[in-house]
Amino acid sequence: MTSDPRDTRTVFWDNGQVCMIDQRLIPFEFKINHYDDYAQVADAIRTMVVRGAPAIGAAAAYGIALAARISRATDVASLQADLREASDVLAKSRPTAVNLFWAINRMNARAQELIAGGADADSVRAGLLEEANKVADEDIEINQRMGAYGAALVPDGATIIHHCNTGALATVGWGTALGVIRSAHAAGKHIHVLVDETRPRLQGARLTSWELQNEGIPHTVIVDGASGHYLRRTKVDLCVVGADRIAANGDTANKIGTYNLAVVAKANNVPFYVVAPFSTIDLSIAHGDLIPIEEREMDEVLRVNGERIAPVDVQAGNPAFDVTPHEYITAIVTERGVIYPPFDVNLRKASE
Protein backbone atom coordinates (compact mmCIF):
# COMPACT_ATOMS: atom_id res chain seq x y z
CA MET A 1 0.00 0.00 0.00
CA THR A 2 1.26 3.47 -0.89
CA SER A 3 1.13 6.42 1.51
CA ASP A 4 -0.25 8.65 -1.28
CA PRO A 5 -4.06 8.80 -0.99
CA ARG A 6 -4.34 9.11 -4.78
CA ASP A 7 -2.70 5.71 -5.24
CA THR A 8 -4.40 3.86 -2.38
CA ARG A 9 -7.15 1.46 -3.33
CA THR A 10 -10.45 2.11 -1.61
CA VAL A 11 -10.73 -1.58 -0.67
CA PHE A 12 -7.86 -4.08 -0.57
CA TRP A 13 -6.53 -7.20 1.14
CA ASP A 14 -3.49 -7.07 3.38
CA ASN A 15 -2.07 -9.75 5.65
CA GLY A 16 -5.32 -11.65 6.04
CA GLN A 17 -7.47 -8.58 6.59
CA VAL A 18 -9.90 -6.53 4.52
CA CYS A 19 -8.71 -2.93 4.47
CA MET A 20 -10.77 0.14 3.57
CA ILE A 21 -10.33 3.88 3.43
CA ASP A 22 -12.67 5.27 6.09
CA GLN A 23 -14.67 7.68 3.95
CA ARG A 24 -16.58 9.09 6.91
CA LEU A 25 -13.45 11.00 7.95
CA ILE A 26 -12.48 12.60 4.65
CA PRO A 27 -11.49 15.40 3.99
CA PHE A 28 -10.21 15.99 7.51
CA GLU A 29 -8.44 12.69 8.07
CA PHE A 30 -7.11 9.91 5.84
CA LYS A 31 -7.32 6.59 7.67
CA ILE A 32 -7.25 2.92 6.70
CA ASN A 33 -9.50 0.58 8.69
CA HIS A 34 -8.63 -3.12 9.03
CA TYR A 35 -11.24 -5.87 9.42
CA ASP A 36 -10.69 -9.50 10.37
CA ASP A 37 -14.32 -10.67 10.43
CA TYR A 38 -16.94 -10.61 7.66
CA ALA A 39 -19.55 -9.19 10.06
CA GLN A 40 -17.27 -6.18 10.52
CA VAL A 41 -17.11 -5.81 6.74
CA ALA A 42 -20.92 -5.87 6.57
CA ASP A 43 -21.09 -3.21 9.27
CA ALA A 44 -18.53 -1.08 7.39
CA ILE A 45 -20.80 -1.23 4.33
CA ARG A 46 -23.90 -0.40 6.38
CA THR A 47 -22.26 2.54 8.20
CA MET A 48 -20.71 3.86 5.00
CA VAL A 49 -17.06 3.43 5.86
CA VAL A 50 -17.15 2.26 2.25
CA ARG A 51 -19.83 3.41 -0.20
CA GLY A 52 -20.38 3.58 -3.92
CA ALA A 53 -21.78 0.56 -5.77
CA PRO A 54 -18.51 -0.80 -7.25
CA ALA A 55 -16.62 -0.33 -3.97
CA ILE A 56 -19.41 -2.06 -2.07
CA GLY A 57 -19.18 -4.95 -4.52
CA ALA A 58 -15.44 -5.31 -3.98
CA ALA A 59 -15.89 -5.08 -0.21
CA ALA A 60 -18.48 -7.86 -0.33
CA ALA A 61 -16.16 -10.02 -2.44
CA TYR A 62 -13.38 -9.58 0.08
CA GLY A 63 -15.90 -10.21 2.86
CA ILE A 64 -16.65 -13.64 1.39
CA ALA A 65 -12.92 -14.36 1.04
CA LEU A 66 -12.48 -13.33 4.68
CA ALA A 67 -15.35 -15.59 5.76
CA ALA A 68 -13.61 -18.49 4.07
CA ARG A 69 -10.33 -17.63 5.74
CA ILE A 70 -11.71 -17.45 9.29
CA SER A 71 -13.97 -20.49 8.89
CA ARG A 72 -12.84 -23.45 10.98
CA ALA A 73 -14.28 -25.88 8.45
CA THR A 74 -12.03 -28.72 7.41
CA ASP A 75 -14.35 -30.06 4.70
CA VAL A 76 -16.05 -28.29 1.82
CA ALA A 77 -19.60 -28.98 3.02
CA SER A 78 -18.95 -27.19 6.31
CA LEU A 79 -17.15 -24.40 4.49
CA GLN A 80 -20.15 -23.93 2.18
CA ALA A 81 -22.42 -23.61 5.22
CA ASP A 82 -20.18 -20.88 6.63
CA LEU A 83 -20.13 -19.09 3.28
CA ARG A 84 -23.93 -19.17 3.13
CA GLU A 85 -24.11 -17.55 6.56
CA ALA A 86 -21.60 -14.87 5.57
CA SER A 87 -23.43 -14.22 2.31
CA ASP A 88 -26.67 -13.64 4.22
CA VAL A 89 -25.03 -11.19 6.63
CA LEU A 90 -23.33 -9.25 3.85
CA ALA A 91 -26.47 -9.18 1.68
CA LYS A 92 -28.43 -7.46 4.46
CA SER A 93 -25.97 -4.56 4.78
CA ARG A 94 -27.51 -2.30 2.09
CA PRO A 95 -30.40 -3.12 -0.26
CA THR A 96 -30.13 -0.85 -3.30
CA ALA A 97 -26.66 -1.29 -4.86
CA VAL A 98 -26.91 -4.37 -7.07
CA ASN A 99 -23.10 -4.73 -7.15
CA LEU A 100 -23.32 -6.05 -3.59
CA PHE A 101 -25.43 -9.01 -4.67
CA TRP A 102 -23.55 -9.42 -7.95
CA ALA A 103 -20.27 -9.82 -6.03
CA ILE A 104 -21.72 -12.24 -3.48
CA ASN A 105 -23.19 -14.36 -6.27
CA ARG A 106 -19.94 -14.31 -8.21
CA MET A 107 -17.94 -15.44 -5.20
CA ASN A 108 -20.34 -18.25 -4.35
CA ALA A 109 -20.39 -19.38 -7.97
CA ARG A 110 -16.60 -19.54 -7.91
CA ALA A 111 -16.70 -21.61 -4.72
CA GLN A 112 -19.13 -24.03 -6.36
CA GLU A 113 -16.92 -24.24 -9.43
CA LEU A 114 -13.86 -25.06 -7.33
CA ILE A 115 -15.71 -27.67 -5.30
CA ALA A 116 -17.10 -29.27 -8.45
CA GLY A 117 -13.52 -29.51 -9.69
CA GLY A 118 -12.48 -31.47 -6.62
CA ALA A 119 -10.90 -28.68 -4.56
CA ASP A 120 -10.52 -29.20 -0.81
CA ALA A 121 -11.40 -26.54 1.76
CA ASP A 122 -8.00 -24.84 1.72
CA SER A 123 -7.97 -24.73 -2.07
CA VAL A 124 -11.40 -23.11 -2.02
CA ARG A 125 -10.11 -20.51 0.43
CA ALA A 126 -7.18 -19.70 -1.86
CA GLY A 127 -9.44 -19.60 -4.90
CA LEU A 128 -11.88 -17.21 -3.27
CA LEU A 129 -9.15 -14.76 -2.34
CA GLU A 130 -7.88 -14.92 -5.91
CA GLU A 131 -11.41 -14.23 -7.17
CA ALA A 132 -11.86 -11.25 -4.83
CA ASN A 133 -8.57 -9.82 -6.09
CA LYS A 134 -9.85 -10.26 -9.64
CA VAL A 135 -13.02 -8.35 -8.79
CA ALA A 136 -10.88 -5.48 -7.51
CA ASP A 137 -8.41 -5.51 -10.39
CA GLU A 138 -11.16 -5.71 -12.99
CA ASP A 139 -12.95 -2.76 -11.41
CA ILE A 140 -10.04 -0.42 -12.09
CA GLU A 141 -9.63 -1.70 -15.65
CA ILE A 142 -13.36 -1.32 -16.32
CA ASN A 143 -13.42 2.20 -14.89
CA GLN A 144 -10.54 3.30 -17.08
CA ARG A 145 -12.32 1.93 -20.16
CA MET A 146 -15.49 3.79 -19.20
CA GLY A 147 -13.40 6.89 -18.61
CA ALA A 148 -12.07 6.75 -22.15
CA TYR A 149 -15.53 6.25 -23.67
CA GLY A 150 -17.01 9.01 -21.57
CA ALA A 151 -14.18 11.49 -22.09
CA ALA A 152 -14.97 11.45 -25.82
CA LEU A 153 -18.36 12.99 -24.94
CA VAL A 154 -16.76 15.91 -23.07
CA PRO A 155 -15.95 18.96 -25.20
CA ASP A 156 -12.82 20.96 -24.49
CA GLY A 157 -13.66 23.85 -22.19
CA ALA A 158 -16.71 22.07 -20.78
CA THR A 159 -18.53 22.93 -17.59
CA ILE A 160 -19.85 19.73 -16.01
CA ILE A 161 -22.32 19.19 -13.17
CA HIS A 162 -21.54 16.13 -11.06
CA HIS A 163 -23.70 14.66 -8.30
CA CYS A 164 -22.56 12.75 -5.19
CA ASN A 165 -19.17 10.96 -5.35
CA THR A 166 -18.35 8.56 -8.15
CA GLY A 167 -14.58 8.74 -8.06
CA ALA A 168 -11.84 6.43 -6.86
CA LEU A 169 -13.50 6.43 -3.43
CA ALA A 170 -16.74 5.01 -4.86
CA THR A 171 -14.88 2.25 -6.66
CA VAL A 172 -11.66 0.33 -6.09
CA GLY A 173 -9.87 2.99 -8.11
CA TRP A 174 -10.22 5.68 -10.82
CA GLY A 175 -14.01 6.08 -10.65
CA THR A 176 -17.10 5.92 -12.86
CA ALA A 177 -18.62 9.35 -13.64
CA LEU A 178 -15.74 11.11 -11.91
CA GLY A 179 -13.46 8.73 -13.81
CA VAL A 180 -14.83 10.27 -17.02
CA ILE A 181 -13.90 13.68 -15.67
CA ARG A 182 -10.43 12.45 -14.69
CA SER A 183 -9.93 10.93 -18.14
CA ALA A 184 -11.02 14.15 -19.87
CA HIS A 185 -8.61 16.13 -17.69
CA ALA A 186 -5.79 13.66 -18.35
CA ALA A 187 -6.44 14.02 -22.09
CA GLY A 188 -5.67 17.73 -21.78
CA LYS A 189 -9.23 19.02 -21.92
CA HIS A 190 -9.85 22.22 -19.99
CA ILE A 191 -12.87 21.50 -17.82
CA HIS A 192 -14.59 22.94 -14.80
CA VAL A 193 -16.77 20.85 -12.51
CA LEU A 194 -19.76 22.10 -10.55
CA VAL A 195 -19.93 19.73 -7.59
CA ASP A 196 -23.32 19.21 -5.98
CA GLU A 197 -22.69 19.09 -2.23
CA THR A 198 -25.10 16.10 -2.01
CA ARG A 199 -27.04 16.28 1.21
CA PRO A 200 -27.43 14.77 3.70
CA ARG A 201 -23.98 13.14 3.96
CA LEU A 202 -22.24 15.69 1.72
CA GLN A 203 -20.39 13.17 -0.44
CA GLY A 204 -19.92 15.86 -3.10
CA ALA A 205 -18.55 18.55 -0.81
CA ARG A 206 -16.44 16.14 1.27
CA LEU A 207 -15.32 13.41 -1.10
CA THR A 208 -15.63 14.61 -4.70
CA SER A 209 -14.09 17.99 -3.94
CA TRP A 210 -11.24 16.22 -2.08
CA GLU A 211 -10.58 13.96 -5.06
CA LEU A 212 -10.73 16.79 -7.59
CA GLN A 213 -8.42 18.92 -5.45
CA ASN A 214 -5.92 16.06 -5.26
CA GLU A 215 -6.03 15.76 -9.06
CA GLY A 216 -5.73 19.50 -9.67
CA ILE A 217 -9.06 19.65 -11.52
CA PRO A 218 -10.81 23.06 -11.31
CA HIS A 219 -14.15 22.85 -9.55
CA THR A 220 -16.74 24.74 -7.54
CA VAL A 221 -18.93 23.24 -4.81
CA ILE A 222 -22.60 24.25 -5.09
CA VAL A 223 -25.64 23.46 -2.96
CA ASP A 224 -27.91 20.82 -4.48
CA GLY A 225 -30.70 23.31 -5.03
CA ALA A 226 -28.47 25.57 -7.15
CA SER A 227 -28.05 23.19 -10.08
CA GLY A 228 -31.17 24.52 -11.81
CA HIS A 229 -29.82 28.07 -11.58
CA TYR A 230 -26.52 27.08 -13.15
CA LEU A 231 -28.20 25.03 -15.87
CA ARG A 232 -30.47 27.92 -16.82
CA ARG A 233 -28.24 30.95 -16.30
CA THR A 234 -24.73 29.73 -17.12
CA LYS A 235 -23.22 27.52 -19.82
CA VAL A 236 -23.33 23.94 -18.55
CA ASP A 237 -22.34 21.43 -21.22
CA LEU A 238 -23.30 18.13 -19.58
CA CYS A 239 -24.20 16.36 -16.35
CA VAL A 240 -22.55 13.10 -15.32
CA VAL A 241 -23.68 10.80 -12.51
CA GLY A 242 -23.07 7.24 -11.39
CA ALA A 243 -25.60 4.52 -10.60
CA ASP A 244 -26.39 2.01 -7.89
CA ARG A 245 -28.77 -0.05 -10.00
CA ILE A 246 -30.02 0.25 -13.58
CA ALA A 247 -33.20 -1.54 -14.57
CA ALA A 248 -33.69 -3.30 -17.90
CA ASN A 249 -35.47 -0.27 -19.37
CA GLY A 250 -32.72 2.15 -18.33
CA ASP A 251 -34.41 3.57 -15.22
CA THR A 252 -31.55 4.38 -12.87
CA ALA A 253 -31.34 4.34 -9.08
CA ASN A 254 -28.67 6.70 -7.80
CA LYS A 255 -27.99 9.02 -4.88
CA ILE A 256 -30.98 11.06 -3.78
CA GLY A 257 -31.22 14.26 -5.82
CA THR A 258 -30.21 12.65 -9.11
CA TYR A 259 -33.80 12.64 -10.40
CA ASN A 260 -34.14 16.36 -9.67
CA LEU A 261 -30.95 17.10 -11.58
CA ALA A 262 -32.00 14.98 -14.56
CA VAL A 263 -35.38 16.70 -14.88
CA VAL A 264 -33.86 20.19 -14.80
CA ALA A 265 -31.09 19.17 -17.21
CA LYS A 266 -33.66 18.00 -19.75
CA ALA A 267 -35.69 21.19 -19.27
CA ASN A 268 -32.56 23.14 -20.26
CA ASN A 269 -31.48 20.81 -23.10
CA VAL A 270 -28.31 19.71 -21.31
CA PRO A 271 -27.14 16.11 -21.91
CA PHE A 272 -27.43 13.85 -18.88
CA TYR A 273 -25.09 10.85 -18.80
CA VAL A 274 -25.09 7.88 -16.44
CA VAL A 275 -21.72 6.14 -16.06
CA ALA A 276 -21.75 2.61 -14.62
CA PRO A 277 -20.21 -0.82 -15.18
CA PHE A 278 -22.33 -3.67 -16.49
CA SER A 279 -22.33 -5.19 -13.01
CA THR A 280 -24.65 -2.32 -12.01
CA ILE A 281 -27.21 -3.21 -14.70
CA ASP A 282 -29.94 -5.50 -13.41
CA LEU A 283 -31.78 -6.96 -16.39
CA SER A 284 -33.94 -9.02 -14.03
CA ILE A 285 -35.77 -5.85 -12.99
CA ALA A 286 -38.12 -4.50 -15.65
CA HIS A 287 -38.31 -0.90 -14.45
CA GLY A 288 -37.16 1.41 -11.70
CA ASP A 289 -40.28 1.21 -9.55
CA LEU A 290 -39.19 -2.32 -8.64
CA ILE A 291 -35.81 -1.23 -7.28
CA PRO A 292 -35.74 -1.27 -3.44
CA ILE A 293 -34.86 2.13 -2.01
CA GLU A 294 -32.91 2.26 1.24
CA GLU A 295 -34.30 4.51 3.95
CA ARG A 296 -31.57 5.62 6.35
CA GLU A 297 -31.61 7.09 9.86
CA MET A 298 -33.37 10.42 10.42
CA ASP A 299 -30.34 11.84 12.22
CA GLU A 300 -28.43 12.04 8.94
CA VAL A 301 -30.86 14.77 7.93
CA LEU A 302 -31.51 16.34 11.33
CA ARG A 303 -27.84 16.65 12.31
CA VAL A 304 -24.67 17.90 10.61
CA ASN A 305 -21.38 16.77 12.15
CA GLY A 306 -23.30 15.71 15.23
CA GLU A 307 -24.97 19.09 15.72
CA ARG A 308 -28.74 19.17 15.51
CA ILE A 309 -30.04 21.63 12.91
CA ALA A 310 -33.81 21.07 13.31
CA PRO A 311 -36.16 21.43 16.30
CA VAL A 312 -36.38 18.56 18.75
CA ASP A 313 -39.02 15.92 17.95
CA VAL A 314 -39.14 16.85 14.26
CA GLN A 315 -39.42 13.85 11.91
CA ALA A 316 -37.29 13.49 8.78
CA GLY A 317 -37.49 11.38 5.64
CA ASN A 318 -34.16 10.07 4.44
CA PRO A 319 -34.30 7.96 1.27
CA ALA A 320 -30.70 7.31 0.27
CA PHE A 321 -31.57 6.98 -3.44
CA ASP A 322 -34.11 7.98 -6.03
CA VAL A 323 -34.94 6.58 -9.46
CA THR A 324 -34.45 8.63 -12.61
CA PRO A 325 -36.80 7.45 -15.39
CA HIS A 326 -34.98 6.47 -18.55
CA GLU A 327 -36.51 9.24 -20.66
CA TYR A 328 -34.35 11.78 -18.82
CA ILE A 329 -31.10 9.94 -19.59
CA THR A 330 -29.18 10.85 -22.75
CA ALA A 331 -26.93 7.78 -22.68
CA ILE A 332 -25.40 5.20 -20.35
CA VAL A 333 -21.61 4.92 -20.50
CA THR A 334 -20.35 1.39 -19.77
CA GLU A 335 -17.12 -0.54 -20.27
CA ARG A 336 -18.73 -1.97 -23.43
CA GLY A 337 -19.32 1.43 -24.94
CA VAL A 338 -21.88 4.23 -24.86
CA ILE A 339 -25.44 2.89 -24.90
CA TYR A 340 -28.21 5.10 -26.27
CA PRO A 341 -32.01 4.71 -26.22
CA PRO A 342 -34.04 2.63 -26.63
CA PHE A 343 -32.43 1.22 -23.50
CA ASP A 344 -34.78 -1.74 -23.17
CA VAL A 345 -33.40 -3.00 -26.50
CA ASN A 346 -29.81 -1.79 -26.42
CA LEU A 347 -28.94 -2.79 -22.85
CA ARG A 348 -29.87 -6.38 -23.66
CA LYS A 349 -27.95 -6.26 -26.94
CA ALA A 350 -24.84 -5.01 -25.14
CA SER A 351 -25.15 -7.77 -22.55
CA GLU A 352 -25.05 -10.55 -25.14
Side-chain angles (χ1 to χ4, degrees):
M1 187 197 78
T2 175
S3 60
D4 188 338
R6 293 174 297 178
D7 297 327
T8 302
R9 290 188 172 196
T10 301
V11 185
F12 58 97
W13 182 274
D14 184 48
N15 196 29
Q17 294 181 315
V18 179
C19 306
M20 304 179 194
I21 298 172
D22 191 337
Q23 300 185 38
R24 302 169 301 180
L25 306 178
I26 293 172
F28 306 110
E29 182 181 352
F30 183 80
K31 180 186 176 187
I32 304 295
N33 292 354
H34 302 262
Y35 303 101
D36 56 15
D37 185 276
Y38 66 82
Q40 296 172 345
V41 173
D43 189 64
I45 295 171
R46 183 186 63 79
T47 60
M48 296 179 71
V49 170
V50 64
R51 26 71 51 205
I56 288 172
Y62 279 125
I64 295 294
L66 183 58
R69 183 182 187 278
I70 66 174
S71 169
R72 297 181 179 180
T74 57
D75 61 89
V76 293
S78 299
L79 180 58
Q80 282 181 294
D82 288 343
L83 293 177
R84 284 193 295 270
E85 180 180 345
S87 297
D88 185 57
V89 170
L90 288 161
K92 291 177 179 176
S93 57
R94 295 194 74 184
T96 302
V98 72
N99 302 63
L100 171 70
F101 309 100
W102 167 85
I104 292 170
N105 291 338
R106 173 170 168 171
M107 293 294 288
N108 282 312
R110 180 56 179 154
Q112 287 296 113
E113 184 180 32
L114 289 165
I115 292 167
D120 61 14
D122 285 340
S123 296
V124 173
R125 290 183 174 95
L128 287 176
L129 178 55
E130 180 182 7
E131 191 70 14
N133 283 329
K134 282 183 182 179
V135 169
D137 292 344
E138 289 169 8
D139 179 69
I140 296 174
E141 178 189 345
I142 285 169
N143 292 337
Q144 290 174 337
R145 290 210 304 272
M146 290 192 299
Y149 284 124
L153 302 171
V154 179
D156 192 17
T159 296
I160 305 167
I161 293 184
H162 175 275
H163 191 66
C164 196
N165 173 260
T166 64
L169 291 171
T171 62
V172 178
W174 196 256
T176 56
L178 204 61
V180 167
I181 291 169
R182 290 181 70 182
S183 295
H185 176 73
K189 294 184 177 180
H190 301 87
I191 57 177
H192 189 94
V193 186
L194 298 175
V195 179
D196 278 352
E197 63 173 352
T198 318
R199 280 278 289 149
R201 294 184 67 98
L202 302 172
Q203 293 99 321
R206 293 190 304 107
L207 307 180
T208 296
S209 183
W210 182 79
E211 289 198 53
L212 291 172
Q213 185 178 64
N214 287 340
E215 295 293 331
I217 300 175
H219 65 285
T220 302
V221 176
I222 63 173
V223 298
D224 296 344
S227 57
H229 164 78
Y230 283 96
L231 284 160
R232 185 170 185 268
R233 298 291 294 271
T234 68
K235 185 180 181 297
V236 174
D237 296 277
L238 67 156
C239 302
V240 291
V241 301
D244 285 81
R245 190 181 302 209
I246 300 173
N249 70 341
D251 292 352
T252 295
N254 192 51
K255 182 54 55 187
I256 192 73
T258 302
Y259 181 21
N260 303 46
L261 178 61
V263 170
V264 181
K266 185 167 185 177
N268 288 276
N269 299 311
V270 174
F272 187 90
Y273 297 108
V274 172
V275 186
F278 244 80
S279 57
T280 303
I281 298 170
D282 188 352
L283 295 177
S284 72
I285 289 186
H287 55 79
D289 289 343
L290 300 175
I291 298 174
I293 299 298
E294 176 185 7
E295 183 82 20
R296 294 184 62 82
E297 297 86 353
M298 289 190 295
D299 267 1
E300 290 184 349
V301 174
L302 299 174
R303 296 178 184 273
V304 175
N305 292 331
E307 293 293 325
R308 191 172 184 90
I309 60 171
V312 175
D313 295 330
V314 167
Q315 300 294 301
N318 188 19
F321 306 96
D322 57 28
V323 173
T324 298
H326 60 88
E327 58 264 30
Y328 294 100
I329 298 169
T330 305
I332 300 171
V333 181
T334 76
E335 71 272 28
R336 302 181 190 182
V338 181
I339 301 173
Y340 292 93
F343 294 121
D344 58 344
V345 174
N346 292 333
L347 284 173
R348 289 194 182 276
K349 279 185 180 178
S351 71
E352 295 172 352

